Amino acid sequence: MKKWILLVVVVLMVGFAVYDFIDSSDDTADQDGEKVVIYPELDEPDQKAGTGIKQGQYAPDVKLQTTKGETVRLSDYRGKPVILNFWATWCPPCRAEIPDFQKLYDNEDVEILAINMTASEDSREGVIDFVEEFEMTFPVLMDEEGKVTNHFQITAYPTSYIIDSEGRTAYVVQGAMNYDFMLQALGKIQ
């Protein structure tokens, strides 16, 4: 009897592995002989090969609206280093790093795209008030449905992606950064 149970478990595991492999192959498309990962939920039909959320991969082309209602895409900033920062108003470490981000934005040749995890906030208006109170002049993007946050698999707050001028993720940093660390990381990719 134990052999039958073991056999059934093994067959189920193999069946799931085959199903998972077939299902995940639907997320790729062949483009000039290279596999390209397509993330339709992020509206990215023209991604480069090697796109993903890990260090060394091209960062997915995020498309969100700012607090002022302007549509911004990560690819708009190609040619310049970008820090993609996931944050929330209720997160103490997120609040702590904002002055350093503002100082970096004011003094260095870097773009900062602060993606507010709006789906976790009390209100959109509260985020806008927070941005004004902290005098944040860099673009603050609103992830109102949480799609981008979920896609990037954000589990620690804040999380930052430091992206080089070609659009590749150089560093993924979980937790708050200070000004000196930001400068060091940017110095290594410029």
Side-chain angles (χ1 to χ4, degrees), residues 140-160:
V140 175
L141 311 179
M142 308 291 277
D143 188 13
E144 297 190 57
E145 296 176 12
K147 287 183 178 181
V148 175
T149 302
N150 289 338
H151 175 72
F152 276 80
Q153 300 173 4
I154 303 302
T155 57
Y157 314 109
T159 294
S160 297

Side-chain angles (χ1 to χ4, degrees), residues 28-129:
T28 61
D30 198 9
Q31 180 177 328
D32 300 328
E34 297 180 340
K35 291 290 183 182
V36 180
V37 179
I38 304 295
Y39 301 102
E41 71 275 10
L42 296 180
D43 187 29
E44 309 168 48
D46 299 323
Q47 292 188 87
K48 294 182 176 186
T51 297
I53 62 170
K54 294 183 177 154
Q55 186 174 341
Q57 294 180 313
Y58 288 102
D61 194 12
V62 173
K63 178 183 172 186
L64 291 169
Q65 286 193 342
T66 67
T67 54
K68 298 175 182 170
E70 302 163 346
T71 299
V72 172
R73 292 183 81 113
L74 176 59
S75 60
D76 295 341
Y77 300 96
R78 208 55 50 81
K80 190 174 191 178
V82 175
I83 298 178
L84 199 61
N85 175 254
F86 290 85
W87 68 284
T89 61
W90 47 262
C91 163
C94 301
R95 297 166 83 89
E97 71 181 356
I98 289 173
D100 286 336
F101 274 126
Q102 188 62 56
K103 181 178 175 183
L104 187 74
Y105 185 73
D106 291 340
N107 297 311
E108 301 297 325
D109 187 28
V110 63
E111 193 59 54
I112 297 168
L113 298 178
I115 298 179
N116 176 264
M117 298 178 288
T118 317
S120 72
E121 299 282 1
D122 289 335
S123 72
R124 187 180 203 288
E125 292 75 26
V127 175
I128 293 169
D129 291 344

Side-chain angles (χ1 to χ4, degrees), residues 164-183:
D164 68 19
S165 58
E166 294 177 10
R168 287 188 188 271
T169 301
Y171 301 100
V172 178
V173 181
Q174 292 184 331
M177 298 186 291
N178 64 32
Y179 183 75
D180 291 335
F181 180 85
M182 294 175 196
L183 280 180

